[in-house]
Amino acid sequence: MITLINNAASHIDRVAIKSNRKNYSYLDLLDASAKIAHTLLAGRSDLNEERIAFIVDPSFDYVSIQWAIWRAGGIAVPLCVKHPYTSVKYVIDDTQAESLVYSKKYADLVEPLFAACHLKSIPLDSITDKTGGLPDVSMDRRAMIIYTSGTTGAPKGVVSTHSNIEAQILSLVTSWEWSKEDHILNILPLHHVHGIVNILSCALWSGACCEFLVKFDAQDVFDLFCKKEINLFMAVPTIYYKLMNHWKELPTHEQQTISAALKEFRLMVSGSAALPISTLEQWRHISGHTLLERYGMTEMGMAISNPYNGERRPGHIGQPLNGVTIRIADEQNNEVSKDQSGEIQVKGPNIFKEYWQKPEATKSSFVDGWFKTGDIAILHDGYYRILGRNSVDIIKSGGYKISALEIEEVLRKHPDIKDCGVVGIPDPEWGEIIGASLILIKDNDTIENLKSWLKDKLPSYQLPRRYMIQDDLPRNVMGKVTKKELQRIFVASDA
Ligand code: MLC
Ligand code: AMP
């Protein structure tokens, strides 16, 4: 039995989801998800880990479909609503999804998939009121596949079981003292753990209310805050930066109203990327809250967090969460002594099961049972602090993890581009923005052409924002591109 869904019976009449200005109770969620589960089963007794992809806006429908897949014994594959066709098709092909559930809004995007792939079409509005039994789903079943970019190859599907997800939820609901009285705003994409686990699933585990806003807009967020129903907020640093900038532009009386509403919140959390101390301080000025910064990853949910009660130290990510064990290891995977930096390695029931159908990649991401995060940190005075990553080819922009190598591969397909190098350039708003240096075969308006050429090949958050044309990329004596030097050139050209 899936505990998260089982728990709903204790909160039947409470509001589970608020979306499109409507309230949906836990009973509504159980009813809607049972209906969809029967449609997915189509007479079978169990989906037996068939992959079911779905693409709908963050909404009551999203949660009903997610729960339906789980209740029918399938693996949920949430698709990114901002992805172009090629990225969506990659996920469908890689997971060999059996079916795709979609709302009308995404019909044009997904229609060609049904001719190109062996995939059953399930338009959301075709779901009828079928009834029947549902399988008994054990907690060790695979529950979800989320795609993440790495330093090698194409994006990998991170497979988590129901037990993994439960461990990820439990460590947060206990550490951050979630209760059924909580009401959280969810403005994050629902194909990543921040939006799915930390916000949505923790709320539903607790009998609390999760309210969706389909598109981030600073004024809309403040308008909702000023209704004084929402008492919890979790977001990436870019969102806090954008909210702050918007607040600064408002007339004084509006600033005061917003600040007064913010002060009444129980908790505000930042994560998915480093929180600049300047953002933390300015947000404290506006809201009266010291943001709680925590650290996590698709493969493990959250691992390290500043305390809910106790000192939240700026520039630090805190201590291991309940149930999570951390060590800092050197390049030979030996634990380093205190006050020395090294890679964060993690053990615990929260750690994912495998990369989907990539046994070699799974194997090489563990050493002696420790998951190798690739993040470099130091433990100082009882608090962990992130120093960077062991690869310059991973970029974090707006909280999204982006592979420089994947973007380079796309750029090299352009007929005018001989070679290229992609790097992250530090940016106060986005954390990093993507810079692309191009070596051209011929220069005829390439950059303007390139921008429109890229539009259906990469999602907006993966598009380079800065371009530079070079005769050759910076290289070391072995001829290898030196990305750090390329980063430096971009930064210097900005000064
Ligand atoms: C968009 N824009 C960017 C950009 N993304 N510019 C630079 N860098 C980027 N990365 C530009 C667009 O081109 C557009 O410009 C304008 O910003 C608005 O675009 P948008 O697509 O409408 O953006 P918006 O909806 O405002 O998105 C901003 C955001 C989004 C911060 C809300 O990036 C977001 O939802 N990020 C969260 C990602 C997330 O959940 N990560 C968690 C991963 S899990 P113009 O000129 O056209 O206006 C994980 C584990 C853990 O990391 O620890 O949590
Ligand atoms: P993702 O693979 O999208 O889940 O992103 C996980 C990565 O986000 C981690 O490996 C870190 O590099 C980064 N990350 C998450 N939280 C923080 C944080 N608080 N500070 C710095 N980096 C973070």
Side-chain angles (χ1 to χ4, degrees):
M1 205 57 169
I2 305 158
T3 328
L4 170 66
I5 297 174
N6 219 19
N7 275 355
S10 330
H11 313 292
I12 286 297
D13 296 326
R14 296 189 64 80
V15 176
I17 303 292
K18 216 171 163 176
S19 83
N20 299 321
R21 296 196 195 88
K22 267 184 83 177
N23 288 345
Y24 299 89
S25 68
Y26 281 83
L27 183 60
D28 292 333
L29 188 50
L30 287 172
D31 285 349
S33 58
K35 217 159 88 172
I36 303 170
H38 292 128
T39 302
L40 296 174
L41 284 165
R44 292 169 289 181
S45 59
D46 193 328
L47 286 180
N48 283 315
E49 298 193 343
E50 285 290 356
R51 277 73 57 214
I52 311 293
F54 60 114
I55 185 160
V56 295
D57 279 337
S59 59
F60 176 69
D61 287 338
Y62 176 100
V63 194
S64 306
I65 298 166
Q66 183 198 50
W67 278 29
I69 297 167
W70 288 346
R71 296 180 83 187
I75 305 180
V77 183
L79 299 174
C80 172
V81 294
K82 285 186 176 174
H83 272 178
Y85 177 75
T86 44
S87 314
V88 171
K89 182 167 184 298
Y90 173 80
V91 174
I92 299 293
D93 286 340
D94 195 60
T95 54
Q96 297 153 289
E98 178 205 79
S99 313
L100 170 60
V101 187
Y102 59 96
S103 59
K104 237 193 213 130
K105 181 171 171 187
Y106 298 100
D108 287 347
L109 173 73
V110 301
E111 214 63 63
L113 289 168
F114 303 114
C117 315
H118 187 67
L119 180 70
K120 194 168 150 201
S121 158
I122 308 188
L124 193 57
D125 52 18
S126 74
I127 286 164
T128 53
D129 216 348
K130 291 201 188 87
T131 52
L134 291 171
D136 187 12
V137 177
S138 66
M139 293 296 288
D140 58 359
R141 281 247 192 138
R142 292 171 179 81
M144 184 160 68
I145 304 182
I146 293 185
Y147 276 78
T148 190
S149 293
T151 46
T152 51
K156 297 189 283 286
V158 175
V159 181
S160 302
T161 63
H162 288 288
S163 293
N164 297 146
I165 296 172
E166 177 170 325
Q168 293 172 10
I169 296 171
L170 270 172
S171 67
L172 295 185
V173 294
T174 53
S175 302
W176 297 347
E177 301 186 9
W178 274 87
S179 88
K180 63 182 192 314
E181 306 307 329
D182 284 324
H183 184 150
I184 192 162
L185 179 64
N186 197 343
I187 46 168
L188 292 180
L190 291 182
H191 65 292
H192 281 306
V193 292
H194 197 160
I196 301 173
V197 176
N198 297 25
I199 304 180
L200 174 63
S201 303
C202 283
L204 296 181
W205 179 280
S206 310
C209 172
C210 178
E211 178 160 359
F212 291 111
L213 188 61
V214 171
K215 170 95 189 80
F216 171 73
D217 175 88
Q219 187 58 46
D220 290 349
V221 169
F222 284 145
D223 287 346
L224 284 173
F225 286 173
C226 287
K227 288 186 175 171
K228 299 199 175 176
E229 292 169 353
I230 293 162
N231 71 336
L232 263 179
F233 188 56
M234 300 182 191
V236 299
T238 302
I239 288 178
Y240 286 105
Y241 187 96
K242 284 173 177 287
L243 289 173
M244 257 162 26
N245 270 4
H246 186 75
W247 183 91
K248 284 180 196 157
E249 301 294 316
L250 295 171
T252 312
H253 69 279
E254 286 184 38
Q255 289 182 339
Q256 286 168 344
T257 308
I258 292 166
S259 292
L262 292 174
K263 285 200 173 72
E264 289 181 29
F265 274 56
R266 179 173 80 74
L267 175 65
M268 294 183 154
V269 179
S270 170
S272 303
L275 174 66
I277 294 179
S278 57
T279 306
L280 177 139
E281 284 171 349
Q282 288 179 57
W283 188 258
R284 185 157 50 199
H285 168 71
I286 289 174
S287 70
H289 284 266
T290 301
L291 289 171
L292 184 156
E293 183 172 10
R294 83 331 174 256
Y295 158 84
M297 198 171 177
T298 305
E299 286 87 337
M300 61 189 184
M302 301 303 108
I304 302 179
S305 168
N306 272 282
Y308 178 66
N309 298 302
E311 184 202 353
R312 297 179 192 166
R313 194 173 292 176
H316 293 71
I317 52 173
Q319 292 102 21
L321 280 160
N322 294 338
V324 179
T325 313
I326 300 288
R327 74 173 189 184
I328 301 290
D330 63 18
E331 283 176 10
Q332 286 70 47
N333 294 307
N334 297 314
E335 190 163 0
V336 299
S337 51
K338 276 211 173 87
D339 282 338
Q340 277 196 308
S341 64
E343 184 186 40
I344 304 179
Q345 299 187 346
V346 187
K347 261 188 191 172
N350 55 313
I351 304 288
F352 75 125
K353 184 180 177 70
E354 63 194 354
Y355 292 115
W356 178 249
Q357 296 192 332
K358 291 193 168 49
E360 282 312 310
T362 306
K363 200 166 156 225
S364 62
S365 66
F366 287 89
V367 56
D368 302 331
W370 292 91
F371 172 61
K372 292 157 61 66
T373 62
D375 291 306
I376 307 299
I378 192 164
L379 178 63
H380 181 66
D381 199 15
Y383 282 70
Y384 286 91
R385 184 158 69 89
I386 300 265
L387 301 175
R389 285 194 57 86
N390 63 10
S391 168
V392 280
D393 286 321
I394 295 294
I395 300 169
K396 265 268 161 170
S397 187
Y400 283 108
K401 186 181 195 180
I402 296 158
S403 158
L405 305 181
E406 277 171 35
I407 299 173
E408 287 168 8
E409 206 175 295
V410 173
L411 289 173
R412 285 197 194 97
K413 293 195 176 116
H414 189 279
D416 292 348
I417 295 176
K418 191 163 124 196
D419 201 0
C420 61
V422 168
V423 289
I425 309 165
D427 181 81
E429 179 169 6
W430 296 96
E432 290 178 293
I433 52 168
I434 301 168
S437 168
L438 309 175
I439 317 299
L440 299 177
I441 293 167
K442 54 180 173 28
D443 181 8
N444 38 10
D445 284 340
T446 298
I447 295 197
E448 283 319 303
N449 284 332
L450 184 64
K451 283 185 185 165
S452 53
W453 182 83
L454 277 175
K455 276 214 166 105
D456 61 351
K457 297 181 178 61
L458 291 171
S460 144
Y461 61 85
Q462 286 186 14
L463 292 173
R465 304 285 156 178
R466 298 268 311 282
Y467 287 97
M468 185 164 64
I469 295 174
Q470 290 187 297
D471 294 332
D472 194 8
L473 297 164
R475 294 176 193 276
N476 64 16
V477 284
M478 310 293 285
K480 193 172 177 303
V481 175
T482 47
K483 290 276 179 98
K484 291 252 183 235
E485 176 60 9
L486 187 55
Q487 259 170 343
R488 202 194 55 73
I489 297 171
F490 265 112
V491 172
S493 70
D494 216 16

